[in-house]
Amino acid sequence: MFGRLKQKVKEKTGRAKATSLPIEVDESVTYFKNLLPRVKDIHKHMADLSDVYKWQKKANFTAPLENYSRLGDKINVTPFIEAVNARISAETDSAKGVQNECEKYKEYYQNDCRLHQENISYLNKMRLDMDGAADKFANAETDANKMRLDTATKEFEAACGRMRDLAAQIKEIESNHSSWQDTIMKEMKVAFRK
């Protein structure tokens, strides 16, 4: 437990050098670190649309038409009321569609992004363990230190492999998010058409 802390302190003070990550692993770490805030931000802004839908539900658009119908027998407002009700039901349906797509973002950042962050954290821990083991081996070349270094190196390579696997999924993640955004835009066009 304290080995990682000691290694971090040594790196901060310049007494030890941190192992640099392979380029593709470093790029995937950067991508997944930036993905969580981006997805949360998109979800927040899409969820803000629910306030607009709630306002539309509270607004009574048929009341003025019903008032006109009370003015006289000559005004037939039932076709207008039916049109307004059809419009409101279409907007409600599209609001549900937008909310469903927003829930996909929420589930993604609560589940998948959490796993991505855990993988990044694990990679950093394994890097610190490997650097600490390498430092101990450099100070005292014993069989125990050699075995600890070999184990830490294997675990670090396994953690790098996990990040490479995640990097292979980036195109799929982006296409999923793009399709979710396209669906949201289609639903919004239905809801907010003039």
Side-chain angles (χ1 to χ4, degrees), residues 18-59:
T19 301
S20 59
L21 299 173
I23 294 171
E24 70 277 1
V25 172
D26 192 37
E27 289 173 354
S28 66
V29 166
T30 303
Y31 174 81
F32 286 111
K33 278 184 179 178
N34 295 332
L35 182 65
L36 177 63
R38 189 180 83 190
V39 171
K40 275 187 175 181
D41 193 43
I42 290 171
H43 174 258
K44 178 185 170 289
H45 291 301
M46 291 296 127
D48 287 345
L49 289 174
S50 65
D51 294 338
V52 173
Y53 294 126
K54 287 176 185 174
W55 173 81
Q56 284 183 339
K57 277 187 174 181
K58 287 180 183 177

Side-chain angles (χ1 to χ4, degrees), residues 29 32-33 116-125 163:
V29 166
F32 286 111
K33 278 184 179 178
H116 301 325
Q117 298 304 316
E118 287 175 3
N119 282 333
I120 292 170
S121 176
Y122 181 73
L123 175 69
N124 289 332
K125 287 178 186 177
M163 289 307 298

Side-chain angles (χ1 to χ4, degrees), residues 8 16 21 53 64 84 96 117 127 141 143 148 171 174 176 184 187 190:
K8 273 188 175 180
L21 299 173
Y53 294 126
V84 168
K96 289 177 185 174
Q117 298 304 316
R127 184 194 58 78
E141 294 184 12
D143 290 338
R148 185 177 297 148
K171 287 185 180 181
E174 288 296 323
N176 286 344
I184 287 173
E187 295 293 340
V190 169

Side-chain angles (χ1 to χ4, degrees), residues 143-157:
D143 290 338
N145 287 344
K146 175 69 174 158
M147 193 179 326
R148 185 177 297 148
L149 176 61
D150 291 341
T151 305
T153 303
K154 287 177 186 174
E155 289 175 352
F156 176 73
E157 288 301 322

Side-chain angles (χ1 to χ4, degrees), residues 12 72 87 95 105 133:
K12 297 278 184 185
R87 171 63 188 237
Y105 277 108

